[in-house]
Amino acid sequence: RRRSSLRPHAPAVAVRSARLPTSAHLCFFNEELHAPYLYDMSEELENEYLRIEEDIVAALRTVYDPEIPVNVYDLGLIYCVELTDDKAVTITMTLTAPNCPAADFILEDVRMKVEDVEGVTSVDIQLTFEPEWNKDMMSEEAMLELGFL
């Protein structure tokens, strides 16, 4: 199993094969929520996907809930980011509460910032509340920032 160079709390990196053998999905996510599948790809393609992964994570770290001084990635709101072979991105994410007053703002900010990542062709946001978000999904940095450590 291949892991990203991100901090230990950060989502794992796994690659899932698509229906066609030439397709590959790069999916990085919270391991407790999903089980990774591995798919072999060329080193050049893998490097390109890893660069895009890093750029997507950097973009997500610039998105904040206006009521919380921590970005959506470190809050643990991002459950899965899938990158297809044509560089279309599907993000499965949640919010801290179903009735979040900033929901539209946050979702649009995620979409716009990930669309700006070089190489990404489209972004689809899938909002879910299964599993329900809780503070255990936050990174240590987020917990420290919010006074939980």
Side-chain angles (χ1 to χ4, degrees), residues 55-130:
D55 292 348
I56 290 172
V57 170
L60 291 171
R61 285 197 163 126
T62 67
V63 178
Y64 287 80
D65 181 324
E67 299 176 343
I68 304 172
V70 176
N71 66 71
V72 296
Y73 185 83
D74 288 324
L75 272 175
L77 300 181
I78 306 299
Y79 287 169
C80 184
V81 176
E82 291 183 281
L83 177 62
T84 65
D85 60 341
D86 65 352
K87 311 299 186 302
V89 176
T90 301
I91 298 174
T92 304
M93 65 177 290
T94 193
L95 299 169
T96 56
N99 59 350
C100 175
D104 291 339
F105 170 80
I106 294 168
L107 296 174
E108 185 62 15
D109 203 21
V110 166
R111 187 190 62 73
M112 288 178 13
K113 292 195 174 165
V114 174
E115 265 183 357
D116 286 344
V117 170
E118 183 182 342
V120 170
T121 58
S122 67
V123 178
D124 180 42
I125 309 290
Q126 301 292 315
L127 184 62
T128 184
F129 293 99
E130 298 286 327

Side-chain angles (χ1 to χ4, degrees), residues 14-27 37-41 45 49 82-88:
V15 180
R16 288 198 260 198
S17 64
R19 290 189 176 107
L20 300 173
T22 58
S23 298
H25 286 27
L26 181 67
C27 187
Y37 299 91
L38 298 178
Y39 177 83
D40 292 326
M41 64 172 73
L45 182 59
Y49 277 76
E82 291 183 281
L83 177 62
T84 65
D85 60 341
D86 65 352
K87 311 299 186 302

